[in-house]
Amino acid sequence: MRRAVAVLGLVVTLAALAGQLALTIEAFSRLGYPLANALIFNFAYFTVLANCFVCACYVAAIWPGASRLARLRRHDVVSFAVPALLLVMLVAAFILRGMLVPPGYFRVAEFALHYLTPPIFLIWWAVFLADGTLKFSAIPPWLFPPAIYLGLVFMRGAVVAVYPYPFFNVAEAGIGRVLTWLAAMLVVFVACCVLTVLADRWLARLKAARTALP
């Protein structure tokens, strides 16, 4: 059952990612931009990168014999996707909804990547992976991927003045407002990390209690 749900999650997530990528390539092609521009634009979004990581975790779970994917089967590594996806959903629901309105079929792809694929993974993690072994010491390493992402976003923005999200746009929003958004999202992300560790322990106790029932 664990592998079957992983296969379902992989298929749905890959379909959503492929749809988003195809739409982006088509839109850039119509504007006369090269393929490289479309790829950079598409993979500049944290949502896309988080879902790509989820796909890698699914693949590692589906093929347990793949030694090169062993790290992605480590509980502290795969569990990074939990706070990452929670942040994706929260930002989409409470911030981006009032800032961006994707055109046409982009709305379908955006909905899938923000509200469909994350719950599938979160349910899979909660039911099959949560085992009570997560420690709070896992949280500091979880902060590195978002920090690296932000570094690349602002380095690119400084060069080409293009940002994946409007709340990162220093030129339009101002440095003070951007820093305020970043501080707020840092607090939310850390809170999601703490919640992930606590949920892992609570779910493990719940599973143990159910197993002990006659």
Side-chain angles (χ1 to χ4, degrees), residues 122-185:
L122 294 176
I123 293 172
W124 180 68
W125 178 86
V127 174
F128 300 105
L129 301 187
D131 59 7
T133 61
L134 274 183
K135 299 179 180 179
F136 287 108
S137 58
I139 295 178
W142 290 350
L143 301 179
F144 282 100
I148 294 172
Y149 169 77
L150 289 174
L152 293 174
V153 163
F154 287 109
M155 285 175 59
R156 175 173 175 256
V159 175
V160 299
V162 176
Y163 299 86
Y165 300 103
F167 46 75
F168 287 159
N169 195 323
V170 178
E172 293 185 2
I175 186 64
R177 192 169 185 181
V178 170
L179 289 176
T180 300
W181 280 117
L182 289 175
M185 283 187 283

Side-chain angles (χ1 to χ4, degrees), residues 126 129-134 136 195-213:
L129 301 187
D131 59 7
T133 61
L134 274 183
F136 287 108
L195 179 62
T196 299
V197 176
L198 295 177
D200 181 71
R201 298 178 180 182
W202 178 77
L203 288 167
R205 290 196 296 268
L206 182 62
K207 293 174 184 177
R210 288 184 176 180
T211 302
L213 289 175

Side-chain angles (χ1 to χ4, degrees), residues 45-177:
Y45 289 93
F46 186 78
T47 299
V48 171
L49 297 177
N51 277 283
C52 287
F53 177 73
V54 164
C55 285
C57 292
Y58 282 140
V59 171
I62 294 170
W63 287 281
S67 58
R68 293 185 179 181
L69 300 176
R71 186 173 181 82
L72 290 172
R73 287 187 286 271
R74 282 179 44 179
H75 191 45
D76 60 329
V77 174
V78 67
S79 295
F80 163 72
V82 176
L85 292 178
L86 288 174
L87 182 66
V88 164
M89 290 190 295
L90 289 172
V91 170
F94 296 102
I95 301 178
L96 289 178
R97 176 175 292 182
M99 290 184 173
L100 296 176
V101 180
Y105 289 110
F106 274 103
R107 294 187 185 183
V108 178
E110 289 293 312
F111 178 86
L113 291 173
H114 287 109
Y115 301 112
L116 179 59
T117 60
I120 293 175
F121 179 86
L122 294 176
I123 293 172
W124 180 68
W125 178 86
V127 174
F128 300 105
L129 301 187
D131 59 7
T133 61
L134 274 183
K135 299 179 180 179
F136 287 108
S137 58
I139 295 178
W142 290 350
L143 301 179
F144 282 100
I148 294 172
Y149 169 77
L150 289 174
L152 293 174
V153 163
F154 287 109
M155 285 175 59
R156 175 173 175 256
V159 175
V160 299
V162 176
Y163 299 86
Y165 300 103
F167 46 75
F168 287 159
N169 195 323
V170 178
E172 293 185 2
I175 186 64
R177 192 169 185 181

